[in-house]
Amino acid sequence: MSASTRKSRWAKSPSFADQPDRVEAIAAQTAIDKINYLDSGLSEIECRSCDTCVLVRKNSFRQTSVQWQSDPNETCPVFRDTDRANAPREGCPNLRASIEQAVLDGSLNVPR
């Protein structure tokens, strides 16, 4: 098969245009996956230092997902100060401590 033939026939994923039931099933599963990976298991955590509220999910003791509800450069003093200094940052240590405390006091669940 020539390169031009391969290129015209290749697709990242099939369209299943001729299988409407399958297209519908894929769309439904995609919606479920988005909920599972992006929304489920999130808990509101407030920074004990500045009261900034974020959504947090712990999948393990080492892994933490944080979704900011607002621009951290506007609501978090640590982010705001490092943004002005154009310094690299690894997050807010105050928020990290608040998340760790939420795990310790049981308000943030960590699956086993």
Side-chain angles (χ1 to χ4, degrees):
M1 181 181 326
S2 71
S4 62
T5 303
R6 274 195 310 271
K7 190 173 185 178
S8 66
R9 291 180 42 191
W10 183 86
K12 189 171 184 178
S13 63
S15 70
F16 301 114
D18 59 337
Q19 301 174 40
D21 290 344
R22 190 163 186 182
V23 170
E24 186 176 323
I26 291 169
Q29 187 60 51
T30 299
I32 291 168
D33 289 345
K34 283 182 179 180
I35 290 168
N36 286 338
Y37 291 111
L38 300 177
D39 298 326
S40 76
L42 292 170
S43 300
E44 285 188 355
I45 301 293
E46 282 190 12
C47 178
R48 294 172 182 234
S49 178
C50 70
D51 295 327
T52 296
C53 186
V54 295
L55 296 175
V56 178
R57 177 178 49 229
K58 295 287 288 177
N59 290 327
S60 70
F61 282 105
R62 296 183 124 195
Q63 190 280 331
T64 305
S65 296
V66 176
Q67 289 186 10
W68 289 83
Q69 300 303 303
S70 57
D71 182 352
N73 292 327
E74 294 177 9
T75 59
C76 174
V78 172
F79 270 69
R80 188 171 41 247
D81 292 345
T82 55
D83 187 49
R84 285 187 195 132
N86 278 335
R89 61 179 168 228
E90 294 183 18
C92 175
N94 300 327
L95 180 60
R96 186 177 306 117
S98 298
I99 293 168
E100 290 170 1
Q101 185 59 48
V103 170
L104 291 174
D105 67 23
S107 60
L108 181 59
N109 184 40
V110 180
R112 293 189 179 249

